[in-house]
């Protein structure tokens, strides 16, 4: 029987036109009795946003780009759609912090998501975190804000969602008592798992975005190909679960059926398994602590047949070690790593640099940027700007004429 309107959860989806946004709306559409879309946000994809507004009738639609907001407003008026259109980055935080909002899906890609995600945390919302860059950049500040506002933070990244499911319910209250030895973060190894160094010199953006298992946005697809995605996830796990870098081990598991594992001191290893489909962690976090259908089929063990495991290769994939180094350096080093990565990935996608230059540029930026402590969100945003300037200079040195 459908629930009454009053018990529906009001959702804001930051980054609604992206890959996580689409998967979230797919799950939401299966449960109209439980969820109602309060606001959808995007950067500039007017066509897609207009389609989503007509389909989900949110109270608000926000376009970070003002021109795109004006265009969307005209389009929706012509269709007599009652959704109110807002423009500009500030409106992202505005809708996420509205008192009626119960949960915020943070699915903007990159540093652009930091401020609205942080603001949603400070407003004490239930925050479903896909935007790992926000947590990588602000680390301790972010987790302190979660505690201060008593926000409910649930991981959407499939690995972290798996770890969350493999830890005891009261883990955050007494992490010591849980007896965690290691966190085993699994990864598919990306599209270049078996490529030689020579082959990596000539791979194209199309090759990098052709992931063997996951269909994702372009930036995270390149991150998966360099293994920087795993590096960012190591930093994400450090903050979400309060473990040290030395307790987090990356395991390459090409079938992507085990989404991560927790190794306990008594020798038990607890894992979460499932088909590689982001609707699984999204449905888990939306309904937690209950369970709802996600539209994903049951796992077929006989179809999988065998599962394999490998060590990551630091020579072909240096980004993973760079992330461990930034985590150990602390302060603004993770924000520097993230900024240099975003700039060099964009340069690679624009064909200004080759694939292997990405790691070189990040390493050079980490060398050159002065390492500083960060006590405020503004300090994090300043570190981001500083690092981007250095990274652009390093990109210039390596760009094809
Ligand atoms: P995507 O590129 O498909 O979508 C990004 C979304 O962010 C779009 O809606 C876009 O409009 C919005 N956006 C981009 N720049 C913006 C800006 N400046 N201001 C406001 N909005 C902006 O990306 P995605 O693959 O959906 O990934 C989103 C986040 O989720 C990333 O942080 C990624 O690391 C994380 N994530 C994604 C997956 C996946 O399967 N796609 C898995 C795990 C984690
Ligand atoms: Mg992941």
């Amino acid at each position: 029987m459908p629930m009454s309107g009053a018990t529906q959860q009001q959702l804001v989806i930051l980054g609604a036109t992206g890959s996580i946004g689409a998967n979230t709306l797919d799950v939401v559409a299966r449960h109209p009795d439980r969820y109602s879309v309060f606001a959808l946000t995007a950067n500039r994809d007017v066509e897609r946003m207009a389609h989503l507004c007509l389909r989900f009738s949110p109270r608000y639609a926000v376009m970070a780009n003002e021109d795109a907001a004006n265009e969307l407003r005209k389009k929706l008026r012509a269709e007599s759609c009652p959704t109110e259109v807002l423009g500009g980055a500030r409106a992202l935080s505005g809708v996420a912090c509205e008192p009626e909002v119960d949960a915020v899906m943070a699915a903007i890609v990159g540093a652009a998501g930091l401020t609205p995600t942080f603001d949603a945390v400070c407003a004490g919302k239930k925050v479903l975190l896909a935007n790992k860059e926000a947590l990588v950049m602000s680390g301790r500040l972010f987790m302190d804000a979660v505690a201060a506002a008593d926000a409910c933070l649930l991981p959407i990244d499939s690995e972290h969602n798996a770890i969350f499911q493999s830890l005891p319910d009261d883990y955050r209250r007494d992490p010591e008592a849980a007896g965690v030895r290691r966190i085993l973060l699994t990864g598919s190894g990306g599209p270049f798992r078996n490529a030689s160094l020579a082959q990596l010199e000539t791979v194209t953006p199309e090759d990098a975005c052709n992931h063997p298992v996951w269909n994702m946005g372009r930036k995270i697809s390149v991150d998966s190909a360099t293994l920087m995605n795993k590096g960012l996830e190591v930093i994400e796990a450090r903050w979400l679960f309060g473990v040290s870098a030395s307790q987090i081990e990356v395991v390459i598991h090409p079938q992507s059926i085990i989404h991560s594992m927790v190794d306990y001191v008594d020798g038990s290893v607890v894992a979460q398994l499932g088909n590689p489909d982001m609707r699984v962690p999204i449905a888990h976090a939306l309904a937690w602590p209950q369970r709802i259908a996600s539209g994903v089929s049951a796992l077929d063990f006989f179809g999988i047949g065998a599962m394999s495991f490998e060590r990551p290769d630091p020579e072909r994939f240096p980004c993973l070690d760079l992330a461990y180094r930034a985590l150990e350096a602390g302060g603004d080093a993770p924000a520097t790593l993230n900024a240099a990565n975003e700039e060099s990935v964009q340069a690679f996608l624009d064909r200004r640099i080759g694939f292997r230059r990405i790691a070189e540029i990040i390493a050079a930026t980490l060398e050159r940027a002065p390492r500083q402590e960060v006590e405020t969100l503004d300090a994090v945003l300043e570190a981001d700007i500083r690092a981007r300037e250095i990274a652009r200079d390093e990109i210039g040195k390596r760009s094809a004429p």
Side-chain angles (χ1 to χ4, degrees), residues 14-21 23 41-45 63-65 89 92 106-110 112-113 129-134 156-159 214-221 223 229 232-233 278:
L14 302 172
T17 56
S19 156
I20 292 290
N23 280 303
T41 87
N43 189 22
R44 55 173 79 229
D45 188 345
M63 302 303 284
N65 180 286
L92 300 171
I108 292 175
V109 62
L129 185 71
N131 182 204
K132 64 191 88 183
E133 297 92 342
I156 293 296
D157 216 347
S158 57
E159 296 76 4
W214 302 96
N215 184 6
M216 312 178 284
R218 282 164 74 75
K219 190 262 176 183
I220 185 177
S221 294
D223 287 348
N229 184 48
L232 297 176
E233 289 181 356
M278 288 308 293

Side-chain angles (χ1 to χ4, degrees), residues 118-134:
F118 201 91
D119 288 345
V121 164
C122 292
K125 300 300 183 192
K126 173 172 166 180
V127 175
L128 316 184
L129 185 71
N131 182 204
K132 64 191 88 183
E133 297 92 342

